[in-house]
């Protein structure tokens, strides 16, 4: 959920089993939302849009087609007041689609692999092919409270990818492994954060394929 068109109302941005990334505009209000029909997320590609190395579906125009069952993160990543897109590209790398205003309209720039490991190598979060591709669930949160955005990535629970210092224009992360030793993964875990106790510190909640939600307090939370 994010204000994709900048009108002050939260919209929905989602991916599908086909890898088609779409958004639903909220034509109602914040308190009484009403969603219009799905529209494709369009990208100002530099050259032809890359295609998946497998599968029957091909890109159509500017509409984004990427790996299936991967989370689109609609967030103002660079804090310029515009909602960007962070998600896997066609080869499974975590890509940064920056938003810009051109001639009075919002556009989404061609992606770049700006998210890297500590050695500066682009993060490839999905290396599988065909049916083994995609399936990466992500959540953005400042987990450790240092003012930098971290990532929670589905695993046996969720791995913490802690943001560390890096050169300007890219963002580097250290994979610190699962939040807990307990394995709650049946197929995928969908990580999210909540603040049920209103202490200002985000805690973990994950949906698993056994039909349950699992809750974990952030180590920074007051006991």
């Amino acid at each position: 959920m994010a204000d994709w068109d900048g009108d002050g109302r939260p919209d929905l941005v989602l991916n599908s089993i086909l890898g088609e990334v779409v958004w639903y505009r909220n034509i109602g209000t914040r308190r009484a939302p009403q969603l219009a029909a799905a529209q494709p997320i369009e990208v100002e590609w530099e050259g032809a849009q890359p295609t998946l190395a497998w599968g029957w579906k091909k890109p159509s125009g500017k509409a984004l087609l990427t790996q299936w069952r991967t989370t689109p993160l609609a967030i103002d990543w660079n804090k310029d007041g515009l909602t960007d897109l962070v998600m896997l590209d066609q080869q499974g790398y975590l890509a940064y689609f920056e938003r810009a205003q051109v001639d009075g309209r919002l556009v989404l720039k061609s992606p770049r692999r700006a998210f890297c490991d500590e050695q500066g190598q682009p993060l490839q979060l999905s290396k599988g092919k065909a049916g083994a591709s995609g399936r990466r669930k992500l959540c953005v949160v400042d987990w450790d409270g240092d003012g930098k955005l971290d990532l929670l990535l589905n695993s046996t629970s969720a791995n913490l990818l802690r943001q560390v210092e890096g050169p300007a224009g890219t963002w580097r992360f250290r994979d610190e492994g699962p939040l807990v030793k307990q394995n709650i993964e049946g197929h995928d875990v969908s990580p999210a954060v909540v603040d049920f106790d209103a202490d200002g510190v985000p805690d973990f909640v994950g949906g698993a394929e056994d039909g349950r939600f699992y809750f974990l307090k952030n180590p920074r939370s007051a006991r």
Side-chain angles (χ1 to χ4, degrees):
M1 183 180 296
D3 181 9
W4 186 249
D5 57 359
D7 66 357
R9 292 172 291 191
D11 310 301
L12 289 182
V13 179
L14 54 89
N15 193 1
S16 72
I17 196 170
L18 297 176
E20 296 172 321
V21 187
V22 300
W23 72 290
Y24 291 82
R25 185 185 180 199
N26 181 4
I27 56 177
T29 66
R30 295 186 67 88
R31 290 183 175 273
Q34 182 179 352
L35 300 180
Q39 304 176 57
I41 295 290
E42 295 190 333
V43 179
E44 298 299 317
W45 300 99
E46 295 177 359
Q49 178 178 176
T51 60
L52 295 169
W54 60 88
W56 57 270
K57 196 163 185 61
K58 302 301 179 185
S60 175
K62 296 181 180 180
L64 175 57
L65 178 70
T66 189
Q67 295 201 8
W68 69 334
R69 298 180 178 182
T70 59
T71 307
L73 298 172
I75 183 173
D76 181 10
W77 185 269
N78 60 357
K79 297 180 171 58
D80 66 351
L82 303 178
T83 303
D84 309 304
L85 180 67
V86 175
M87 72 176 306
L88 268 63
D89 66 14
Q90 292 85 353
Q91 293 179 304
Y93 289 91
L94 190 61
Y96 176 47
F97 298 76
E98 185 180 1
R99 208 72 174 279
Q101 283 192 326
V102 177
D103 297 329
R105 65 187 184 94
L106 287 172
V107 300
L108 201 60
K109 293 183 178 180
S110 197
R112 59 188 182 93
R113 294 170 181 173
F115 304 103
C116 304
D117 62 19
E118 289 185 278
Q119 288 70 46
Q121 297 301 309
L123 289 175
Q124 189 177 21
L125 302 183
S126 177
K127 299 180 181 180
K129 306 295 183 183
S133 66
R135 302 177 187 268
R136 300 319 306 259
K137 312 299 183 185
L138 292 159
C139 177
V140 174
V141 60
D142 180 9
W143 183 256
D144 55 8
D146 66 355
K148 297 190 291 289
L149 293 175
D150 309 304
L151 297 170
L152 298 179
L153 173 68
N154 67 303
S155 62
T156 53
S157 55
N159 278 31
L160 171 60
L161 275 59
R162 190 188 304 273
Q163 188 177 157
V164 297
E165 295 298 330
T170 63
W171 296 272
R172 295 191 180 188
F173 296 85
R174 178 192 304 124
D175 188 346
E176 301 199 345
L179 295 176
V180 293
K181 293 181 179 179
Q182 180 184 2
N183 187 343
I184 63 172
E185 179 185 33
H187 196 71
D188 280 328
V189 177
S190 293
V193 290
V194 294
D195 186 16
F196 289 138
D197 55 7
D199 66 352
V201 178
D203 303 309
F204 167 80
V205 63
E209 290 207 9
D210 60 5
R212 294 182 171 89
F213 288 100
Y214 290 84
F215 175 77
L216 175 72
K217 287 187 72 68
N218 192 311
R220 297 192 292 116
S221 291
R223 299 292 180 180

